[in-house]
Amino acid sequence: MKVTEAASPLLPLCQRLFPTKLAGLSVALLKATALELAILAGHLLLYPSGITQERRTGHPLPSPDVAAPLPTEAKPPVVLLHGFIDNRSVFVLLRRNLAQHGRQHIESLNYSPLTCDIRTAAELLGRHIEEICERTGHERVDIVGHSLGGLIARYYVQCLGGDSHVRTLVTLGTPHSGTRVAPLMNAHPIVRQMRPGSAVIEELTGPAPGCRTQFVSFWSDLDHLMDPLETACVEHPDLLAQNVRVSGVGHLALPVHPAVATGIRQALDIEMPGHLSVVRSGGLTVA
């Protein structure tokens, strides 16, 4: 990735706020930064609404503002899993988008902000997935995981036999190979597990023969929480994986931006991720 240099008095401030390898400051970066701050402000307002777990039913009623879809083969439930120190409120817009385009069963799961181990969180996710399958009558689900949520879901799929219950796993800005950003947060054990070379990351590099889940990873060239940026890609010889580069948005915008939501829908609606139309021109540009 090449970032066009531009002189700006905001450069020192942005370098302090976003400790990534900034070779220069582009208009795209300024736009993405402004969008990240706006999304952060909006999310702080919504955050209290997502603290509690949502009420779950076996047969959800369609939203009143969504036209009844034509009869089609039932699609798997979609499970949304948030990132570090977050909750299900981050998926308000994505959930609405998916519902408007025919997904009739969508569930957002919360895991505790006090979670200190990815393995434990993955085991808990597995129990939730099994309960959802039993309640809805579906054998498999699709998962969309943002940041740490994607790593928890991948551990469940790859290391705990979750591929028998997960058809497609879409990750958004997930540090699949570990991220070096924010070293001062190493005091938190789950942050240490997201570092390159951690025991969890090393487990994910191990063999995964016969894994039945298809992976689609969205990574952004302006994601200030991924260091290096390409850590958000799934690179494993045993996994059926597609990496989609997103240009023009940052980490917080990935589960919110409508263009990314379109790419997510495409990923969930196909059987083979290699046919994603968003990558025909080299990626997904939203700016």
Side-chain angles (χ1 to χ4, degrees), residues 176 215-219 232-235 241-245 279:
H176 290 285
F215 294 78
V216 183
S217 176
F218 288 81
W219 67 283
C233 298
V234 176
E235 302 290 349
Q242 176 76 46
N243 297 305
V244 182
R245 174 175 172 170
V279 297

Side-chain angles (χ1 to χ4, degrees), residues 86 169 176 259 276 282:
D86 208 342
L169 171 57
H176 290 285
L276 271 175

Side-chain angles (χ1 to χ4, degrees), residues 174-179 196 217 219 225-234:
T174 290
H176 290 285
S177 301
T179 179
S217 176
W219 67 283
L225 293 184
M226 297 298 106
D227 183 17
L229 292 172
E230 292 78 7
T231 190
C233 298
V234 176

Side-chain angles (χ1 to χ4, degrees), residues 62-94:
S63 174
D65 60 344
V66 178
L70 294 175
T72 58
E73 182 180 354
K75 297 179 180 179
V78 179
V79 178
L80 307 176
L81 198 61
H82 61 80
F84 181 57
I85 315 180
D86 208 342
N87 62 39
R88 61 186 177 86
S89 63
V90 71
F91 291 118
V92 167
L93 296 180
L94 177 59

Side-chain angles (χ1 to χ4, degrees), residues 3 6 19 24 31 47-49 56 71 81-82 110 122-123 126 128 135 138-139 143 153 155 162 168 207 228 243 254:
V3 180
K31 290 181 178 179
Y47 191 92
S49 68
R56 297 168 189 150
L81 198 61
H82 61 80
N110 278 354
E123 292 174 357
H128 280 305
R135 174 162 41 88
H138 287 268
E139 293 184 358
I143 299 179
Y155 192 93
T168 300
N243 297 305
L254 286 170

Side-chain angles (χ1 to χ4, degrees), residues 122-186:
E123 292 174 357
L124 179 61
L125 172 63
R127 292 196 289 271
H128 280 305
I129 297 299
E130 291 174 4
E131 187 272 332
I132 290 172
C133 289
E134 181 179 357
R135 174 162 41 88
T136 63
H138 287 268
E139 293 184 358
R140 306 181 85 188
V141 304
D142 293 332
I143 299 179
V144 179
H146 180 225
S147 195
L148 173 60
L151 203 60
I152 292 171
R154 179 179 172 183
Y155 192 93
Y156 165 62
V157 165
Q158 188 176 331
C159 301
L160 300 179
D163 61 315
S164 63
H165 291 301
V166 180
R167 187 193 67 143
T168 300
L169 171 57
V170 176
T171 65
L172 310 173
T174 290
H176 290 285
S177 301
T179 179
R180 296 188 294 262
V181 78
L184 294 180
M185 294 187 66
N186 278 344

